Amino acid sequence: MTVKAYGAHAADKPLESMDIARRAPGAHDVQIDIAYCGVCHSDLHTVRAEWAGTLFPCVPGHEIVGRVASVGAHVTQYKVGDLVGVGCMVDSCRHCADCEDGLENYCDGMVGTYNGATTDAPGHTLGGYSEQIVVHERFVLRVRHPEEQLAAVAPLLCAGITTWSPLRHWNAGPGKTVGVVGIGGLGHMGIKLARAMGAHVVAFTTSENKRQDAEALGAHEVVVSRDADAMARQAKKLDLIVNTVAAPHDLDAYLSLLKRDGTMVLVGAPSSPHPSPQVFNLIMKRRALAGSMIGGIPETQEMLDFCAVHGIVADIEMIRADEINAAYERMLQGDVKYRFVIDSATLAA
Ligand code: NAP
Ligand code: ZN
Ligand code: ZN
């Protein structure tokens, strides 16, 4: 079946309206009418080929929410009309140790929601800036928020899980001081989630004008990182730092804020490397520098359910599909509070 989508034909071309094909649902597939799709900085990195290996045409989008339109004969978990989500992956090998551990995100055969390998036309996956998607039920999530919050749930599917997973893995919670660096799409969710987990939250931003917002999002303290004195006051105070910054920067400025045995987790994925940190900054306090990529399906469901119970959604600005190129420019300038979400009804306009 043919559906409307928004994507680019080359790295130096703007996104434009296009028709794409979706496969007919197989026995284990769920066909989803997409209601909203969040706009992640990874969409921009990919569609502009800032990371290696972008395939064109490229239809980004991996913060997908909508309603089940039809299900294959063997689907057991979902029925027509259910509110569902799809995040950053639509398949994996399903039998390796990572898949068996529910960490399909680390499977070597993980298939991204866009730019992933598939036998469907055109030979790579096409993402959520589209009217519909067809996904194996194992990679579909249940949305338990009230329907009126659906648009603001979309960013949980990437920004939410990408911050949730390291916060959980490194035990954010009561008695822990957690830093969140970069108050964009990921960072604003990191603040909300770390706060809801019971941690003491310190937000780090380059933008003086985000100070009040960061407090409203749940930060106990806000540090403008250009303020050397304010940075110095955080020295050796933090147990964990989740660093979401999408550009190369001085990691030592943050490593020196960790306590003994503290960890800084990099989730921001800049297209060129950070300057190497000072080894002495790590060995002196047995500090760790780590990375983390999205999250597995079971922990994504756990995060969505936690957010539904705690009333947590993203702060969003809704856009029409034809505003996406302007939205990318605003995202590059840090001018988004705090996630753009595409209203899929505007794809056909
Ligand atoms: P975003 O909304 O653009 O937010 C990034 C934030 O980083 C900005 O709001 C800004 O916050 C800060 N920042 C940007 N440029 C900076 C610079 N030159 N120096 C210092 N701070 C800067 O992006 P996002 O969607 O949250 O994504 C962030 C990064 O995570 C991207 O690289 C994305 O590809 C990556 N990502 C990784 C995963 C994963 O699985 N690991 C998943 C999703 C996304 P302030 O204004 O507060 O300083
Ligand atoms: Zn993303
Ligand atoms: Zn696997």
Side-chain angles (χ1 to χ4, degrees):
M1 136 208 40
T2 299
V3 303
K4 290 281 178 205
Y6 240 77
H9 289 286
D12 58 355
K13 293 275 187 325
L15 278 72
E16 59 183 271
S17 179
M18 55 176 70
D19 291 332
I20 62 167
R22 292 298 189 194
R23 68 174 181 263
H28 296 276
D29 282 339
V30 177
Q31 181 184 31
I32 301 164
D33 283 331
I34 300 176
Y36 305 101
C37 184
V39 177
C40 179
H41 207 117
S42 301
D43 301 352
L44 186 159
H45 289 306
T46 303
V47 81
R48 296 191 176 174
E50 294 176 355
W51 297 333
T54 303
L55 303 165
F56 291 93
C58 175
V59 175
H62 58 205
E63 294 183 337
I64 298 167
V65 290
R67 221 175 247 294
V68 175
S70 74
V71 294
H74 295 158
V75 169
T76 58
Q77 303 299 309
Y78 299 98
K79 61 179 190 322
V80 172
D82 284 353
L83 288 182
V84 293
V86 176
C88 303
M89 55 191 170
V90 290
D91 210 347
S92 69
C93 89
R94 302 182 208 160
H95 52 68
C96 71
D98 295 320
C99 288
E100 280 179 7
D101 286 346
L103 291 169
E104 304 88 344
N105 48 317
Y106 296 116
C107 169
D108 290 336
M110 189 267 270
V111 179
T113 302
Y114 55 83
N115 209 49
T118 177
T119 52
D120 296 355
H124 58 273
T125 52
L126 302 172
Y129 299 0
S130 58
E131 292 176 306
Q132 272 197 354
I133 194 165
V134 177
V135 181
H136 188 286
E137 71 168 326
R138 177 174 172 154
F139 293 86
V140 176
L141 288 309
R142 184 169 300 283
V143 173
R144 295 191 165 87
H145 288 74
E147 186 174 4
E148 52 278 17
Q149 291 185 325
L150 193 59
V153 169
L156 303 181
L157 276 305
C158 175
I161 184 59
T162 300
T163 49
W164 170 272
S165 184
L167 287 168
R168 275 291 227 230
H169 184 74
W170 279 277
N171 300 311
K176 295 288 176 67
T177 301
V178 174
V180 177
V181 184
I183 314 305
L186 266 55
H188 98 289
M189 286 312 309
I191 294 173
K192 290 186 189 214
L193 293 171
R195 176 71 186 243
M197 288 174 184
H200 180 84
V201 182
V202 186
F204 294 88
T205 179
T206 58
S207 311
E208 174 69 43
N209 65 4
K210 291 184 185 171
R211 181 184 287 279
Q212 270 159 9
D213 286 358
E215 283 169 5
L217 291 164
H220 297 91
E221 299 177 66
V222 183
V223 176
V224 176
S225 52
R226 301 179 203 283
D227 179 344
D229 292 340
M231 289 291 282
R233 284 196 290 278
Q234 297 293 332
K236 301 179 211 153
K237 291 254 175 81
L238 302 172
D239 295 287
L240 172 65
I241 297 174
V242 178
N243 185 330
T244 77
V245 173
H249 62 280
D250 173 21
L251 300 179
D252 286 307
Y254 296 103
L255 287 171
S256 59
L257 308 186
L258 292 170
K259 290 178 186 167
R260 192 200 74 223
D261 289 326
T263 300
M264 177 155 75
V265 188
L266 302 179
V267 293
S271 50
S272 51
H274 297 293
S276 173
Q278 294 293 334
V279 173
F280 277 94
N281 236 341
L282 297 168
I283 63 182
M284 295 296 281
K285 293 275 175 202
R286 198 163 58 183
R287 292 167 173 138
L289 182 59
S292 182
M293 188 176 74
I294 48 175
I297 293 297
E299 62 182 332
T300 305
Q301 189 64 62
E302 183 193 23
M303 176 275 310
L304 282 170
D305 293 348
F306 176 95
C307 289
V309 168
H310 288 82
I312 297 173
V313 292
D315 289 16
I316 64 164
E317 179 178 336
M318 191 93 77
I319 60 168
R320 296 191 316 268
D322 62 9
E323 294 175 308
I324 186 66
N325 295 298
Y328 280 176
E329 293 310 313
R330 285 182 53 195
M331 183 157 64
L332 284 173
Q333 285 150 25
D335 177 24
V336 45
K337 294 193 168 180
Y338 277 88
R339 198 59 140 182
F340 292 116
V341 171
I342 298 172
D343 179 353
S344 307
T346 64
L347 285 160

PDB file of all heavy atoms in Angstrom, residues 38-43 51 61-63 87-88 114 155 157-159 162 186 294 339, ligand 2:
ATOM      1  N   GLY A  38       7.665  12.287  16.952  1.00  0.00           N
ATOM      2  CA  GLY A  38       8.620  13.247  17.489  1.00  0.00           C
ATOM      3  C   GLY A  38       9.799  13.442  16.547  1.00  0.00           C
ATOM      4  O   GLY A  38      10.071  12.614  15.674  1.00  0.00           O
ATOM      5  N   VAL A  39      10.502  14.564  16.745  1.00  0.00           N
ATOM      6  CA  VAL A  39      11.645  14.924  15.902  1.00  0.00           C
ATOM      7  C   VAL A  39      12.901  14.884  16.758  1.00  0.00           C
ATOM      8  O   VAL A  39      13.116  15.733  17.630  1.00  0.00           O
ATOM      9  CB  VAL A  39      11.453  16.325  15.299  1.00  0.00           C
ATOM     10  CG1 VAL A  39      12.669  16.737  14.471  1.00  0.00           C
ATOM     11  CG2 VAL A  39      10.182  16.365  14.450  1.00  0.00           C
ATOM     12  N   CYS A  40      13.732  13.854  16.530  1.00  0.00           N
ATOM     13  CA  CYS A  40      14.949  13.623  17.312  1.00  0.00           C
ATOM     14  C   CYS A  40      16.152  14.217  16.583  1.00  0.00           C
ATOM     15  O   CYS A  40      16.182  14.247  15.342  1.00  0.00           O
ATOM     16  CB  CYS A  40      15.129  12.112  17.486  1.00  0.00           C
ATOM     17  SG  CYS A  40      16.609  11.637  18.393  1.00  0.00           S
ATOM     18  N   HIS A  41      17.164  14.644  17.349  1.00  0.00           N
ATOM     19  CA  HIS A  41      18.375  15.162  16.693  1.00  0.00           C
ATOM     20  C   HIS A  41      19.034  14.079  15.827  1.00  0.00           C
ATOM     21  O   HIS A  41      19.697  14.385  14.842  1.00  0.00           O
ATOM     22  CB  HIS A  41      19.352  15.707  17.743  1.00  0.00           C
ATOM     23  CG  HIS A  41      20.248  16.779  17.225  1.00  0.00           C
ATOM     24  ND1 HIS A  41      20.241  18.071  17.695  1.00  0.00           N
ATOM     25  CD2 HIS A  41      21.201  16.751  16.250  1.00  0.00           C
ATOM     26  CE1 HIS A  41      21.134  18.794  17.030  1.00  0.00           C
ATOM     27  NE2 HIS A  41      21.736  18.009  16.163  1.00  0.00           N
ATOM     28  N   SER A  42      18.821  12.804  16.172  1.00  0.00           N
ATOM     29  CA  SER A  42      19.366  11.712  15.337  1.00  0.00           C
ATOM     30  C   SER A  42      18.737  11.720  13.939  1.00  0.00           C
ATOM     31  O   SER A  42      19.389  11.323  12.964  1.00  0.00           O
ATOM     32  CB  SER A  42      19.112  10.358  15.997  1.00  0.00           C
ATOM     33  OG  SER A  42      19.703  10.302  17.278  1.00  0.00           O
ATOM     34  N   ASP A  43      17.486  12.169  13.836  1.00  0.00           N
ATOM     35  CA  ASP A  43      16.846  12.286  12.512  1.00  0.00           C
ATOM     36  C   ASP A  43      17.657  13.236  11.640  1.00  0.00           C
ATOM     37  O   ASP A  43      17.937  12.953  10.464  1.00  0.00           O
ATOM     38  CB  ASP A  43      15.417  12.844  12.640  1.00  0.00           C
ATOM     39  CG  ASP A  43      14.502  11.994  13.496  1.00  0.00           C
ATOM     40  OD1 ASP A  43      14.892  10.883  13.892  1.00  0.00           O
ATOM     41  OD2 ASP A  43      13.366  12.470  13.772  1.00  0.00           O
ATOM     42  N   TRP A  51      26.327  11.228  10.058  1.00  0.00           N
ATOM     43  CA  TRP A  51      26.923   9.952  10.427  1.00  0.00           C
ATOM     44  C   TRP A  51      27.117   9.168   9.124  1.00  0.00           C
ATOM     45  O   TRP A  51      26.464   9.440   8.125  1.00  0.00           O
ATOM     46  CB  TRP A  51      25.985   9.160  11.343  1.00  0.00           C
ATOM     47  CG  TRP A  51      25.673   9.786  12.669  1.00  0.00           C
ATOM     48  CD1 TRP A  51      26.448  10.663  13.375  1.00  0.00           C
ATOM     49  CD2 TRP A  51      24.502   9.554  13.471  1.00  0.00           C
ATOM     50  NE1 TRP A  51      25.831  10.986  14.562  1.00  0.00           N
ATOM     51  CE2 TRP A  51      24.636  10.313  14.651  1.00  0.00           C
ATOM     52  CE3 TRP A  51      23.363   8.754  13.306  1.00  0.00           C
ATOM     53  CZ2 TRP A  51      23.668  10.315  15.651  1.00  0.00           C
ATOM     54  CZ3 TRP A  51      22.395   8.752  14.309  1.00  0.00           C
ATOM     55  CH2 TRP A  51      22.554   9.523  15.466  1.00  0.00           C
ATOM     56  N   GLY A  61      12.356   9.496  11.632  1.00  0.00           N
ATOM     57  CA  GLY A  61      11.243   9.420  12.579  1.00  0.00           C
ATOM     58  C   GLY A  61      11.218   8.113  13.343  1.00  0.00           C
ATOM     59  O   GLY A  61      10.934   7.056  12.765  1.00  0.00           O
ATOM     60  N   HIS A  62      11.546   8.177  14.653  1.00  0.00           N
ATOM     61  CA  HIS A  62      11.489   6.964  15.480  1.00  0.00           C
ATOM     62  C   HIS A  62      10.896   7.253  16.863  1.00  0.00           C
ATOM     63  O   HIS A  62      11.256   6.599  17.835  1.00  0.00           O
ATOM     64  CB  HIS A  62      12.853   6.260  15.543  1.00  0.00           C
ATOM     65  CG  HIS A  62      13.984   7.081  16.074  1.00  0.00           C
ATOM     66  ND1 HIS A  62      15.295   6.829  15.757  1.00  0.00           N
ATOM     67  CD2 HIS A  62      14.008   8.140  16.916  1.00  0.00           C
ATOM     68  CE1 HIS A  62      16.068   7.696  16.390  1.00  0.00           C
ATOM     69  NE2 HIS A  62      15.315   8.498  17.098  1.00  0.00           N
ATOM     70  N   GLU A  63      10.003   8.234  16.899  1.00  0.00           N
ATOM     71  CA  GLU A  63       9.216   8.494  18.117  1.00  0.00           C
ATOM     72  C   GLU A  63       7.750   8.475  17.699  1.00  0.00           C
ATOM     73  O   GLU A  63       7.115   9.517  17.546  1.00  0.00           O
ATOM     74  CB  GLU A  63       9.605   9.844  18.728  1.00  0.00           C
ATOM     75  CG  GLU A  63      11.042   9.857  19.245  1.00  0.00           C
ATOM     76  CD  GLU A  63      11.468  11.149  19.940  1.00  0.00           C
ATOM     77  OE1 GLU A  63      10.851  12.211  19.668  1.00  0.00           O
ATOM     78  OE2 GLU A  63      12.410  11.108  20.747  1.00  0.00           O
ATOM     79  N   GLY A  87       9.436   2.699  18.718  1.00  0.00           N
ATOM     80  CA  GLY A  87      10.616   3.513  18.972  1.00  0.00           C
ATOM     81  C   GLY A  87      11.667   3.351  17.896  1.00  0.00           C
ATOM     82  O   GLY A  87      11.357   3.346  16.703  1.00  0.00           O
ATOM     83  N   CYS A  88      12.918   3.205  18.331  1.00  0.00           N
ATOM     84  CA  CYS A  88      14.059   3.302  17.411  1.00  0.00           C
ATOM     85  C   CYS A  88      14.352   2.027  16.642  1.00  0.00           C
ATOM     86  O   CYS A  88      15.232   2.022  15.787  1.00  0.00           O
ATOM     87  CB  CYS A  88      15.304   3.709  18.181  1.00  0.00           C
ATOM     88  SG  CYS A  88      15.076   5.255  19.065  1.00  0.00           S
ATOM     89  N   TYR A 114      14.431   3.546  10.875  1.00  0.00           N
ATOM     90  CA  TYR A 114      14.776   4.070   9.544  1.00  0.00           C
ATOM     91  C   TYR A 114      16.239   3.779   9.272  1.00  0.00           C
ATOM     92  O   TYR A 114      17.021   3.559  10.205  1.00  0.00           O
ATOM     93  CB  TYR A 114      14.464   5.566   9.402  1.00  0.00           C
ATOM     94  CG  TYR A 114      15.079   6.485  10.444  1.00  0.00           C
ATOM     95  CD1 TYR A 114      16.393   6.943  10.326  1.00  0.00           C
ATOM     96  CD2 TYR A 114      14.328   6.933  11.529  1.00  0.00           C
ATOM     97  CE1 TYR A 114      16.948   7.812  11.259  1.00  0.00           C
ATOM     98  CE2 TYR A 114      14.871   7.784  12.478  1.00  0.00           C
ATOM     99  CZ  TYR A 114      16.189   8.215  12.332  1.00  0.00           C
ATOM    100  OH  TYR A 114      16.748   9.060  13.251  1.00  0.00           O
ATOM    101  N   PRO A 155       7.693  11.538  22.211  1.00  0.00           N
ATOM    102  CA  PRO A 155       9.139  11.643  22.483  1.00  0.00           C
ATOM    103  C   PRO A 155       9.657  10.647  23.522  1.00  0.00           C
ATOM    104  O   PRO A 155      10.870  10.444  23.623  1.00  0.00           O
ATOM    105  CB  PRO A 155       9.303  13.090  22.976  1.00  0.00           C
ATOM    106  CG  PRO A 155       8.156  13.818  22.341  1.00  0.00           C
ATOM    107  CD  PRO A 155       7.029  12.848  22.404  1.00  0.00           C
ATOM    108  N   LEU A 157       9.459   7.600  23.256  1.00  0.00           N
ATOM    109  CA  LEU A 157       9.917   6.418  22.525  1.00  0.00           C
ATOM    110  C   LEU A 157      11.396   6.474  22.154  1.00  0.00           C
ATOM    111  O   LEU A 157      11.999   5.458  21.870  1.00  0.00           O
ATOM    112  CB  LEU A 157       9.056   6.208  21.273  1.00  0.00           C
ATOM    113  CG  LEU A 157       7.736   5.444  21.436  1.00  0.00           C
ATOM    114  CD1 LEU A 157       7.927   4.085  22.072  1.00  0.00           C
ATOM    115  CD2 LEU A 157       6.693   6.219  22.195  1.00  0.00           C
ATOM    116  N   CYS A 158      11.992   7.682  22.130  1.00  0.00           N
ATOM    117  CA  CYS A 158      13.454   7.745  22.000  1.00  0.00           C
ATOM    118  C   CYS A 158      14.048   8.586  23.123  1.00  0.00           C
ATOM    119  O   CYS A 158      14.835   8.093  23.926  1.00  0.00           O
ATOM    120  CB  CYS A 158      13.916   8.260  20.633  1.00  0.00           C
ATOM    121  SG  CYS A 158      15.722   8.445  20.589  1.00  0.00           S
ATOM    122  N   ALA A 159      13.677   9.856  23.209  1.00  0.00           N
ATOM    123  CA  ALA A 159      14.270  10.711  24.245  1.00  0.00           C
ATOM    124  C   ALA A 159      14.031  10.133  25.636  1.00  0.00           C
ATOM    125  O   ALA A 159      14.912  10.184  26.505  1.00  0.00           O
ATOM    126  CB  ALA A 159      13.688  12.126  24.152  1.00  0.00           C
ATOM    127  N   THR A 162      16.095   6.649  26.053  1.00  0.00           N
ATOM    128  CA  THR A 162      17.551   6.846  25.971  1.00  0.00           C
ATOM    129  C   THR A 162      18.114   7.431  27.263  1.00  0.00           C
ATOM    130  O   THR A 162      19.277   7.204  27.607  1.00  0.00           O
ATOM    131  CB  THR A 162      17.897   7.742  24.765  1.00  0.00           C
ATOM    132  OG1 THR A 162      17.419   7.091  23.591  1.00  0.00           O
ATOM    133  CG2 THR A 162      19.385   7.986  24.643  1.00  0.00           C
ATOM    134  N   LEU A 186      16.455  15.093  24.711  1.00  0.00           N
ATOM    135  CA  LEU A 186      16.859  14.048  25.653  1.00  0.00           C
ATOM    136  C   LEU A 186      17.004  14.612  27.064  1.00  0.00           C
ATOM    137  O   LEU A 186      16.508  14.025  28.037  1.00  0.00           O
ATOM    138  CB  LEU A 186      18.207  13.425  25.223  1.00  0.00           C
ATOM    139  CG  LEU A 186      18.140  12.160  24.357  1.00  0.00           C
ATOM    140  CD1 LEU A 186      17.301  12.357  23.112  1.00  0.00           C
ATOM    141  CD2 LEU A 186      19.530  11.686  23.976  1.00  0.00           C
ATOM    142  N   ILE A 294      19.870   3.922  23.288  1.00  0.00           N
ATOM    143  CA  ILE A 294      18.417   3.755  23.492  1.00  0.00           C
ATOM    144  C   ILE A 294      18.118   2.764  24.628  1.00  0.00           C
ATOM    145  O   ILE A 294      18.681   2.921  25.713  1.00  0.00           O
ATOM    146  CB  ILE A 294      17.652   3.474  22.172  1.00  0.00           C
ATOM    147  CG1 ILE A 294      18.337   2.374  21.333  1.00  0.00           C
ATOM    148  CG2 ILE A 294      17.524   4.758  21.392  1.00  0.00           C
ATOM    149  CD1 ILE A 294      17.582   1.941  20.080  1.00  0.00           C
ATOM    150  N   ARG A 339      10.692  19.488  22.477  1.00  0.00           N
ATOM    151  CA  ARG A 339      10.695  18.509  21.400  1.00  0.00           C
ATOM    152  C   ARG A 339       9.647  18.900  20.373  1.00  0.00           C
ATOM    153  O   ARG A 339       8.480  19.159  20.738  1.00  0.00           O
ATOM    154  CB  ARG A 339      10.337  17.132  21.965  1.00  0.00           C
ATOM    155  CG  ARG A 339      10.706  15.941  21.097  1.00  0.00           C
ATOM    156  CD  ARG A 339      12.160  15.854  20.810  1.00  0.00           C
ATOM    157  NE  ARG A 339      12.701  14.513  20.855  1.00  0.00           N
ATOM    158  CZ  ARG A 339      13.997  14.278  20.662  1.00  0.00           C
ATOM    159  NH1 ARG A 339      14.842  15.255  20.393  1.00  0.00           N
ATOM    160  NH2 ARG A 339      14.460  13.049  20.711  1.00  0.00           N
TER     161      ARG A 339
HETATM  162 ZN    ZN B   2      16.161   9.465  18.640  1.00  0.00          ZN
END
